[in-house]
Protein backbone atom coordinates (compact mmCIF):
# COMPACT_ATOMS: atom_id res chain seq x y z
CA UNK A 1 0.00 0.00 0.00
CA UNK A 2 0.94 3.64 -0.20
CA UNK A 3 0.84 4.45 3.50
CA UNK A 4 2.23 3.19 6.79
CA UNK A 5 0.49 -0.03 7.75
CA UNK A 6 0.12 -1.23 11.33
CA UNK A 7 -1.25 -4.49 12.67
CA UNK A 8 -3.25 -5.51 14.51
CA UNK A 9 -5.56 -2.51 14.59
CA UNK A 10 -6.89 -3.61 17.96
CA UNK A 11 -5.44 -5.94 20.58
CA UNK A 12 -7.02 -6.98 23.85
CA UNK A 13 -4.95 -9.13 26.17
CA UNK A 14 -4.66 -10.11 29.80
CA UNK A 15 -2.24 -8.52 32.18
CA UNK A 16 1.07 -10.37 32.23
CA UNK A 17 0.94 -11.55 28.62
CA UNK A 18 3.44 -10.51 25.97
CA UNK A 19 2.27 -8.62 22.88
CA UNK A 20 3.89 -7.86 19.56
CA UNK A 21 2.90 -4.92 17.39
CA UNK A 22 3.91 -4.61 13.76
CA UNK A 23 4.66 -1.64 11.53
CA UNK A 24 5.23 -1.69 7.79
CA UNK A 25 6.59 1.71 6.71
CA UNK A 26 6.24 3.45 3.39
CA UNK A 27 8.56 1.85 0.85
CA UNK A 28 11.87 3.68 0.67
CA UNK A 29 11.51 5.42 4.01
CA UNK A 30 14.69 4.87 5.99
CA UNK A 31 13.58 6.47 9.24
CA UNK A 32 10.96 4.79 11.42
CA UNK A 33 9.49 6.01 14.72
CA UNK A 34 7.25 4.55 17.39
CA UNK A 35 5.02 6.76 19.55
CA UNK A 36 2.45 6.06 22.24
CA UNK A 37 -0.79 7.97 22.58
CA UNK A 38 -2.59 7.67 25.89
CA UNK A 39 -5.19 9.67 27.76
CA UNK A 40 -3.62 12.31 29.92
CA UNK A 41 -0.14 11.81 28.44
CA UNK A 42 -0.69 12.93 24.87
CA UNK A 43 1.76 11.60 22.30
CA UNK A 44 5.06 10.26 23.61
CA UNK A 45 8.11 9.31 21.57
CA UNK A 46 9.31 5.76 22.21
CA UNK A 47 12.08 4.81 19.77
CA UNK A 48 13.65 5.81 16.47
CA UNK A 49 15.23 3.60 13.80
CA UNK A 50 17.55 4.64 11.02
CA UNK A 51 17.79 1.59 8.81
CA UNK A 52 18.03 -1.38 11.16
CA UNK A 53 19.75 0.42 14.00
CA UNK A 54 18.10 2.33 16.81
CA UNK A 55 20.22 5.33 17.76
CA UNK A 56 17.58 6.64 20.14
CA UNK A 57 15.70 4.37 22.53
CA UNK A 58 15.32 7.07 25.13
CA UNK A 59 11.54 7.03 25.12
CA UNK A 60 11.03 3.37 25.97
CA UNK A 61 9.31 3.49 29.37
CA UNK A 62 10.83 0.32 30.85
CA UNK A 63 12.91 -2.74 30.00
CA UNK A 64 9.68 -4.61 29.26
CA UNK A 65 9.57 -2.65 26.00
CA UNK A 66 11.79 -3.55 23.05
CA UNK A 67 11.73 -3.04 19.31
CA UNK A 68 13.55 -4.29 16.29
CA UNK A 69 13.65 -3.58 12.60
CA UNK A 70 14.82 -6.01 9.96
CA UNK A 71 15.79 -5.45 6.36
CA UNK A 72 15.40 -1.73 6.83
CA UNK A 73 11.66 -2.19 6.53
CA UNK A 74 9.20 -3.86 8.93
CA UNK A 75 9.49 -3.09 12.63
CA UNK A 76 8.02 -4.89 15.62
CA UNK A 77 7.43 -3.39 19.06
CA UNK A 78 7.27 -6.00 21.81
CA UNK A 79 5.87 -5.46 25.28
CA UNK A 80 6.60 -8.20 27.78
CA UNK A 81 4.57 -8.93 30.90
CA UNK A 82 2.01 -6.28 30.02
CA UNK A 83 0.57 -4.02 32.70
CA UNK A 84 -2.67 -2.06 32.68
CA UNK A 85 -0.79 1.21 32.31
CA UNK A 86 0.46 -0.07 28.93
CA UNK A 87 -3.06 0.41 27.53
CA UNK A 88 -2.77 3.04 24.80
CA UNK A 89 -2.72 3.56 21.06
CA UNK A 90 0.71 2.76 19.64
CA UNK A 91 1.53 4.77 16.54
CA UNK A 92 4.24 4.14 13.98
CA UNK A 93 5.58 6.76 11.59
CA UNK A 94 8.14 6.79 8.82
CA UNK A 95 10.00 9.46 6.89
CA UNK A 96 12.21 9.56 3.83
CA UNK A 97 15.34 10.40 5.81
CA UNK A 98 16.46 11.96 9.01
CA UNK A 99 16.41 15.72 9.31
CA UNK A 100 14.12 18.16 11.03
CA UNK A 101 12.15 19.24 7.99
CA UNK A 102 11.19 15.75 6.83
CA UNK A 103 7.52 15.16 7.64
CA UNK A 104 6.65 11.94 9.36
CA UNK A 105 3.80 9.86 7.93
CA UNK A 106 1.73 7.96 10.46
CA UNK A 107 -0.15 4.68 10.42
CA UNK A 108 -3.60 4.32 11.95
CA UNK A 109 -2.15 2.82 15.10
CA UNK A 110 -2.73 -0.27 17.23
CA UNK A 111 -5.18 0.18 20.09
CA UNK A 112 -3.89 -1.97 22.95
CA UNK A 113 -6.15 -2.79 25.88
CA UNK A 114 -4.79 -4.66 28.90
CA UNK A 115 -7.46 -6.30 31.05
CA UNK B 1 14.26 20.40 26.57
CA UNK B 2 11.77 20.89 23.78
CA UNK B 3 8.10 21.43 24.52
CA UNK B 4 4.88 22.45 22.79
CA UNK B 5 1.93 24.10 24.46
CA UNK B 6 -1.42 24.39 22.75
CA UNK B 7 -4.77 25.62 23.90
CA UNK B 8 -6.99 23.14 25.66
CA UNK B 9 -10.20 22.08 24.04
CA UNK B 10 -12.70 21.30 23.08
CA UNK B 11 -13.16 24.24 20.79
CA UNK B 12 -16.79 24.38 19.74
CA UNK B 13 -17.76 26.43 16.68
CA UNK B 14 -20.63 26.80 14.27
CA UNK B 15 -20.07 26.10 10.60
CA UNK B 16 -18.42 29.00 8.72
CA UNK B 17 -16.95 30.49 11.90
CA UNK B 18 -13.32 31.63 12.10
CA UNK B 19 -10.91 29.25 13.81
CA UNK B 20 -7.76 29.94 15.78
CA UNK B 21 -5.90 27.28 17.75
CA UNK B 22 -2.95 28.71 19.63
CA UNK B 23 0.40 26.94 19.77
CA UNK B 24 3.64 28.07 21.37
CA UNK B 25 6.89 26.19 21.64
CA UNK B 26 10.20 26.01 23.47
CA UNK B 27 13.17 24.59 21.62
CA UNK B 28 16.90 24.88 21.26
CA UNK B 29 18.14 25.75 17.82
CA UNK B 30 15.82 26.20 14.87
CA UNK B 31 13.04 23.63 14.84
CA UNK B 32 10.62 22.81 12.06
CA UNK B 33 6.98 23.20 13.03
CA UNK B 34 4.01 21.06 12.06
CA UNK B 35 0.28 20.75 12.49
CA UNK B 36 -1.14 17.24 12.40
CA UNK B 37 -4.84 16.34 12.36
CA UNK B 38 -6.46 13.18 13.70
CA UNK B 39 -9.99 12.43 12.50
CA UNK B 40 -12.10 10.09 14.64
CA UNK B 41 -10.83 6.52 14.46
CA UNK B 42 -7.92 7.41 12.21
CA UNK B 43 -4.19 8.00 12.53
CA UNK B 44 -2.37 11.31 12.41
CA UNK B 45 -2.20 13.13 9.10
CA UNK B 46 0.19 15.94 8.31
CA UNK B 47 -1.86 19.10 7.77
CA UNK B 48 0.87 21.68 7.14
CA UNK B 49 4.43 22.56 8.04
CA UNK B 50 6.92 25.44 8.18
CA UNK B 51 10.64 24.96 8.36
CA UNK B 52 12.00 28.44 9.07
CA UNK B 53 11.00 31.75 10.59
CA UNK B 54 8.27 33.71 8.77
CA UNK B 55 7.35 30.69 6.62
CA UNK B 56 3.62 30.19 6.20
CA UNK B 57 2.30 26.66 5.87
CA UNK B 58 -1.10 26.18 4.27
CA UNK B 59 -3.38 23.33 3.26
CA UNK B 60 -7.14 22.77 2.88
CA UNK B 61 -7.85 26.38 3.88
CA UNK B 62 -5.78 26.12 7.07
CA UNK B 63 -2.78 28.39 7.63
CA UNK B 64 -0.06 28.82 10.23
CA UNK B 65 2.89 31.21 10.29
CA UNK B 66 6.21 30.41 12.00
CA UNK B 67 6.80 33.35 14.37
CA UNK B 68 10.25 33.12 15.91
CA UNK B 69 9.90 36.33 17.92
CA UNK B 70 6.85 35.02 19.76
CA UNK B 71 7.79 31.29 19.43
CA UNK B 72 4.32 30.62 18.07
CA UNK B 73 2.67 28.66 15.27
CA UNK B 74 -1.04 29.39 15.59
CA UNK B 75 -3.44 27.49 13.32
CA UNK B 76 -6.17 29.49 11.56
CA UNK B 77 -9.01 28.86 9.14
CA UNK B 78 -11.38 31.48 7.86
CA UNK B 79 -14.51 29.33 7.59
CA UNK B 80 -14.71 25.93 9.27
CA UNK B 81 -16.86 23.03 8.08
CA UNK B 82 -18.43 20.16 9.97
CA UNK B 83 -15.90 17.86 8.30
CA UNK B 84 -13.08 19.76 10.08
CA UNK B 85 -14.15 18.24 13.40
CA UNK B 86 -11.05 16.42 14.63
CA UNK B 87 -8.16 16.66 17.08
CA UNK B 88 -5.37 19.00 16.02
CA UNK B 89 -1.78 18.52 17.24
CA UNK B 90 0.96 21.10 17.05
CA UNK B 91 4.45 19.58 16.90
CA UNK B 92 8.06 20.56 16.53
CA UNK B 93 10.98 18.67 15.12
CA UNK B 94 14.48 19.55 16.27
CA UNK B 95 17.45 17.76 14.87
CA UNK B 96 19.64 15.84 17.28
CA UNK B 97 22.82 14.38 15.90
CA UNK B 98 21.40 14.37 12.39
CA UNK B 99 17.94 13.00 13.08
CA UNK B 100 14.78 14.37 14.57
CA UNK B 101 11.88 13.24 16.67
CA UNK B 102 8.58 15.00 17.00
CA UNK B 103 7.55 16.69 20.22
CA UNK B 104 3.78 17.09 20.33
CA UNK B 105 1.37 19.31 22.14
CA UNK B 106 -1.47 17.59 23.97
CA UNK B 107 -3.92 18.17 21.13
CA UNK B 108 -6.98 20.38 20.76
CA UNK B 109 -10.34 18.87 19.88
CA UNK B 110 -12.40 20.91 17.43
CA UNK B 111 -16.15 20.33 17.21
CA UNK B 112 -18.03 22.08 14.40
CA UNK B 113 -21.82 22.05 14.41
CA UNK B 114 -24.07 22.72 11.40
Amino acid sequence: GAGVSQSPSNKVTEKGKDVELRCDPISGHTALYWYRQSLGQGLEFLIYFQGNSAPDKSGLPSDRFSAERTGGSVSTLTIQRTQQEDSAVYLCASSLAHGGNQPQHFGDGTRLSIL
Amino acid sequence: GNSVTQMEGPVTLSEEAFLTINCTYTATGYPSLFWYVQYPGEGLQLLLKATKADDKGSNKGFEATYRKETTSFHLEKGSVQVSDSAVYFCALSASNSGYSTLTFGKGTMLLVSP
Side-chain angles (χ1 to χ4, degrees):
Chain A
V4 176
S5 178
Q6 291 187 246
S7 61
S9 54
N10 284 284
K11 177 72 176 177
V12 180
T13 192
E14 293 178 349
K15 176 182 170 181
K17 301 286 189 184
D18 297 352
V19 295
E20 194 172 275
L21 313 180
R22 176 188 168 104
C23 172
D24 202 339
I26 294 172
S27 178
H29 281 195
T30 59
L32 185 146
Y33 306 80
W34 283 97
Y35 295 87
R36 180 168 70 174
Q37 184 177 24
S38 52
L39 284 175
Q41 297 297 321
L43 278 150
E44 305 169 273
F45 165 76
L46 297 178
I47 187 170
Y48 155 74
F49 286 92
Q50 179 59 40
N52 291 338
S53 64
D56 189 346
K57 306 178 183 179
S58 63
L60 294 178
S62 77
D63 59 8
R64 296 186 294 105
F65 287 71
S66 63
E68 65 176 15
R69 189 179 185 194
T70 55
S73 181
V74 171
S75 175
T76 54
L77 176 69
T78 301
I79 309 173
Q80 296 178 307
R81 306 181 302 281
T82 51
Q83 303 295 313
Q84 288 187 331
E85 62 263 27
D86 300 335
S87 297
V89 177
Y90 289 82
L91 292 167
C92 176
S94 69
S95 63
L96 262 176
H98 52 269
N101 62 356
Q102 290 290 333
Q104 295 179 22
H105 300 268
F106 284 78
D108 287 342
T110 294
R111 183 174 297 277
L112 177 64
S113 301
I114 309 299
L115 302 179
Chain B
N2 299 329
S3 67
V4 175
T5 302
Q6 56 183 111
M7 59 192 293
E8 289 189 25
V11 173
T12 304
L13 295 173
S14 298
E15 206 164 25
E16 299 183 4
F18 184 86
L19 169 71
T20 300
I21 299 178
N22 290 339
C23 171
T24 57
Y25 67 90
T26 302
T28 54
Y30 302 96
S32 294
L33 301 174
F34 304 84
W35 277 100
Y36 282 83
V37 58
Q38 187 174 34
Y39 297 102
E42 298 183 14
L44 290 165
Q45 299 176 25
L46 177 66
L47 181 60
L48 53 84
K49 70 173 187 177
T51 58
K52 61 183 189 297
D54 300 325
D55 267 2
K56 177 186 284 188
S58 62
N59 186 24
K60 299 181 182 179
F62 290 89
E63 293 183 341
T65 301
Y66 189 142
R67 301 282 188 204
K68 189 169 183 293
E69 63 276 13
T70 55
T71 61
S72 65
F73 193 55
H74 304 321
L75 182 68
E76 296 182 336
K77 187 175 185 183
S79 176
V80 293
Q81 305 301 311
V82 172
S83 57
D84 293 327
S85 297
V87 181
Y88 292 81
F89 292 91
C90 184
L92 70 83
S93 177
S95 293
N96 297 312
S97 302
Y99 71 93
S100 60
T101 60
L102 286 170
T103 300
F104 287 91
K106 290 193 181 295
T108 302
M109 180 178 289
L110 171 64
L111 300 170
V112 181
S113 56

